[in-house]
Amino acid sequence: MKKVLGVKSLNFKLWTYFMTFAAIIMIILWLLQIVFINSFYKTMKTNEIKKIGNQLVALYGTEEFEQELLDKSFSEGIVINILNQDGGVVYPLDIMDFIRRPRLQESAFSQFLNQLYMSEDNFTVYTRSHESLDAETIVYGAVLENRVGPNYFLFINTILEPIDSTVNVLKNQLLVITLISLVLSMGLSLFLSNRLSAPIISITRSAKGLGEGRYDVEFRKGDYQEIDNLADTLSQATKELKKSEELRRDFIANITHDLKTPLTLIKSYGEMIRDISGDNIQKRDEHLNTIIQETDKLSRLVDDMLDLTKIQSELRELKMEEFDLRNESEHVLERFSYFVENEGFEITLSSEGETGLIGDKLKISQAVYNLVNNAINYSLDDKRIEIKMEGNLDEVKFSIKDYGQGIHKEEQDYIWERYYRGGKSHTRQKTGSGIGLSLVKTIVLAHKGHVGVESSPGEGSIFWFILPRNLKE
Ligand code: ADP
């Protein structure tokens, strides 16, 4: 079947994303834990000391100062001293210290003073290697202002413990973590990609079936929303395809019948003229007239079919102009005067409100023509046809009522489809191509209007459309 691990496949993509994700996390971990850990640790420690120092400076002079100083030096394991101007330790002192008078080493104290005076803030933090311990230490210094007498200094000193052994432990741990996470992400990506692609593969299989003309395929749902939506869309498309396939079949059946009948007639009348009526002028003319009538029927049929394609392509460029729907409808009715004069049709036209609008006059007249034509075609004994128009500020409604055969409820949605012909009877006298209403709908929709029908069998139908008048500027 399909390549499962093609470079463009979901499986491969997911796998790459997961691996990249795992690799990035690992790289960040390595950088933080191994490469930058020393400077990271140093910065952290420095910030910590700075915070403690600044807190103590702020507390100096209050009652909590001494307690806080003790607490901090114990809890953090750091040396906190208060020095006088000569580097002598003022705090903490035990009894012996009164005799020993401990003071900071000369070099250390002068560096301390130097750093403090050079600092732009009123404190300083710097590193210094401890002579006897052979290790780096962090020193914090700040001035403690006395209200009476010379100021003191806050001196905090803490050792920066070497963390090489920790780094080694971390390295080993990270190695294991890296391996585990790579294996995990590989497994997870395979698992997920299989889960994700399964419904897609199933839908693809169904769609393939659809492509082969099986309209009963089912699109599997129930995995996740996006796939459900896709399945719904495809089911909808299948339904539409099925419908238009049925229509196409009906159309071919209808059209072959409709083409065949006049052709058979034309042929047989042609033969009759050749074999029998050739010399009998009266008979010959009769037969020739039938041939001409049938040819007319044929060309009307072809015209209808061409019209739809033409109008559909032309609708992209409507020729908009201002016209009066009532006037145009009256012109259209003139073309049906034959039916009124000879076949007993009674067509009335009335209007209310404004019926002027901006639209493509020819196309809208064509829509009116088709509706009148249908009303005449599908009328039975009661040959009244009533056309009404109602206009308001924004829209004009056109409706045409006949008292003919009417349309079943179930059929009413389909009649607007191209090539749909009601009744499924191919023996009807009236030749229609099933295009008339689809043209009406296409034209009205192109004008951003809507169409509709109210009808019940045996009682007649009202077809209507509403067009925006488009007149406000
Ligand atoms: P045609 O009239 O060429 O068959 P249309 O697209 O104009 O095609 O109409 C489609 C179908 O709708 C018709 O076959 C008919 O069954 C039904 N129909 C249209 N107009 C009317 C009407 N006024 N009364 C009853 N049925 C109608």
Side-chain angles (χ1 to χ4, degrees):
M1 254 211 29
K2 295 261 144 60
K3 276 193 287 168
V4 184
L5 264 179
V7 187
K8 274 185 86 177
S9 73
L10 186 65
N11 295 28
F12 185 77
K13 288 250 155 97
L14 261 184
W15 181 79
T16 343
Y17 296 150
F18 264 93
M19 288 316 231
T20 321
F21 177 69
I24 289 175
I25 298 280
M26 284 305 125
I27 290 172
I28 293 176
L29 270 180
W30 274 88
L31 285 179
L32 286 184
Q33 302 286 65
I34 313 293
V35 184
F36 297 133
I37 193 154
N38 273 315
S39 55
F40 193 63
Y41 170 70
K42 195 165 154 186
T43 321
M44 244 178 63
K45 199 88 184 159
T46 312
N47 282 340
E48 209 178 286
I49 299 294
K50 194 155 78 187
K51 206 169 123 207
I52 295 174
N54 287 347
Q55 265 171 6
L56 286 174
V57 173
L59 282 178
Y60 186 61
T62 66
E63 278 172 15
E64 299 108 83
F65 178 72
E66 210 162 310
Q67 189 58 44
E68 186 68 13
L69 201 144
L70 266 176
D71 288 351
K72 279 283 183 280
S73 64
F74 279 120
S75 64
E76 306 289 332
I78 50 181
V79 176
I80 308 182
N81 287 333
I82 294 178
L83 309 174
N84 63 17
Q85 296 282 332
D86 307 319
V89 176
V90 183
Y91 183 93
L93 291 177
D94 55 35
I95 299 179
M96 291 302 286
D97 286 341
F98 285 102
I99 306 155
R100 283 192 300 214
R101 296 236 161 247
R103 57 188 312 278
L104 206 61
Q105 236 182 1
E106 194 71 48
S107 64
F109 187 59
S110 64
Q111 186 188 19
F112 175 78
L113 284 183
N114 247 339
Q115 291 283 349
L116 196 55
Y117 287 129
M118 266 162 22
S119 156
E120 282 171 12
D121 306 307
N122 43 12
F123 66 89
T124 178
V125 184
Y126 59 92
T127 50
R128 171 184 168 79
S129 51
H130 198 285
E131 296 84 359
S132 49
L133 285 178
D134 190 25
E136 216 176 14
T137 62
I138 304 178
V139 180
Y140 171 93
V143 181
L144 296 175
E145 282 175 29
N146 287 328
R147 253 174 263 142
V148 204
N151 290 337
Y152 286 158
F153 300 111
L154 178 64
F155 174 86
I156 304 179
N157 198 0
T158 181
I159 194 156
L160 259 179
E161 279 143 274
I163 48 171
D164 292 350
S165 55
T166 323
V167 169
N168 272 338
V169 174
L170 280 178
K171 249 187 207 163
N172 289 336
Q173 264 187 6
L174 270 182
L175 211 66
V176 177
I177 294 178
T178 309
L179 280 178
I180 291 178
S181 63
L182 284 183
V183 172
L184 263 184
S185 54
M186 198 172 325
L188 206 65
S189 68
L190 277 180
F191 171 74
L192 272 184
S193 63
N194 278 337
R195 281 217 59 165
L196 286 179
S197 56
I200 300 180
I201 290 174
S202 136
I203 284 195
T204 311
R205 211 173 291 133
S206 307
K208 220 169 145 202
L210 179 63
E212 286 159 4
R214 277 187 275 123
Y215 295 114
D216 56 347
V217 287
E218 271 193 28
F219 294 95
R220 198 179 100 187
K221 280 174 55 166
D223 291 287
Y224 30 98
Q225 189 63 49
E226 289 83 352
I227 291 289
D228 283 3
N229 292 348
L230 179 63
D232 282 342
T233 315
L234 284 170
S235 302
Q236 187 60 30
T238 312
K239 233 164 76 194
E240 293 295 323
L241 274 176
K242 194 172 166 191
K243 215 160 70 185
S244 65
E245 175 63 18
E246 278 167 8
L247 287 174
R248 193 183 62 87
R249 262 193 237 138
D250 284 353
F251 170 69
I252 292 188
N254 286 345
I255 212 77
T256 33
H257 174 265
D258 292 344
L259 290 173
K260 195 91 191 146
T261 322
L263 280 176
T264 320
L265 284 174
I266 291 169
K267 185 170 176 234
S268 41
Y269 278 88
E271 282 168 355
M272 261 167 32
I273 296 170
R274 185 192 63 199
D275 301 336
I276 307 166
S277 59
D279 297 333
N280 182 336
I281 297 181
Q282 201 195 341
K283 273 262 153 55
R284 196 187 60 197
D285 282 353
E286 235 174 69
H287 293 163
L288 278 176
N289 273 339
T290 315
I291 291 183
I292 291 168
Q293 273 170 17
E294 292 304 313
T295 322
D296 280 348
K297 242 189 228 171
L298 270 183
S299 65
R300 232 180 321 166
L301 200 66
V302 174
D303 280 350
D304 264 2
M305 288 156 67
L306 289 180
D307 262 4
L308 183 69
T309 348
K310 202 170 115 218
I311 287 206
Q312 275 176 342
S313 61
E314 275 178 10
L315 279 176
R316 270 174 249 132
E317 33 193 282
L318 293 172
K319 282 195 214 77
M320 302 299 257
E321 59 186 306
E322 193 171 344
F323 69 94
D324 189 74
L325 186 62
R326 187 190 161 110
N327 282 350
E328 280 317 304
S329 305
E330 278 166 358
H331 288 317
V332 171
L333 285 186
E334 282 164 20
R335 287 151 71 188
F336 290 95
S337 57
Y338 168 85
F339 294 92
V340 178
E341 284 156 19
N342 302 299
E343 297 206 358
F345 279 92
E346 197 188 310
I347 308 182
T348 58
L349 188 147
S350 63
S351 68
E352 244 177 68
E354 286 298 323
T355 50
L357 59 95
I358 291 181
D360 190 316
K361 190 167 81 181
L362 277 182
K363 305 243 160 59
I364 292 174
S365 302
Q366 162 104 53
V368 172
Y369 178 93
N370 288 0
L371 289 178
V372 179
N373 193 32
N374 279 353
I376 289 180
N377 263 339
Y378 299 103
S379 277
L380 302 169
D381 295 335
D382 192 339
K383 296 187 171 177
R384 282 175 296 155
I385 292 171
E386 291 157 15
I387 298 175
K388 281 193 189 140
M389 274 162 262
E390 288 163 61
N392 63 23
L393 213 57
D394 305 316
E395 299 170 330
V396 191
K397 178 171 182 179
F398 174 100
S399 62
I400 172 165
K401 177 171 183 171
D402 64 60
Y403 295 87
Q405 63 186 55
I407 307 159
H408 282 283
K409 260 252 139 353
E410 316 82 70
E411 264 193 294
Q412 288 177 13
D413 283 341
Y414 293 100
I415 51 174
W416 305 97
E417 309 264 350
R418 205 192 315 187
Y419 307 136
Y420 182 84
R421 293 172 63 193
K424 304 255 161 178
S425 123
H426 305 150
T427 51
R428 256 183 325 150
Q429 282 298 303
K430 293 143 190 157
T431 45
S433 50
I435 285 170
L437 285 183
S438 93
L439 270 181
V440 174
K441 186 173 174 182
T442 317
I443 291 169
V444 172
L445 290 189
H447 283 83
K448 302 202 167 33
H450 19 238
V451 291
V453 62
E454 288 142 34
S455 177
S456 50
E459 286 178 25
S461 324
I462 303 176
F463 279 85
W464 56 262
F465 63 76
I466 295 177
L467 288 173
R469 294 183 62 213
N470 288 330
L471 287 174
K472 22 174 189 168
E473 270 307 302

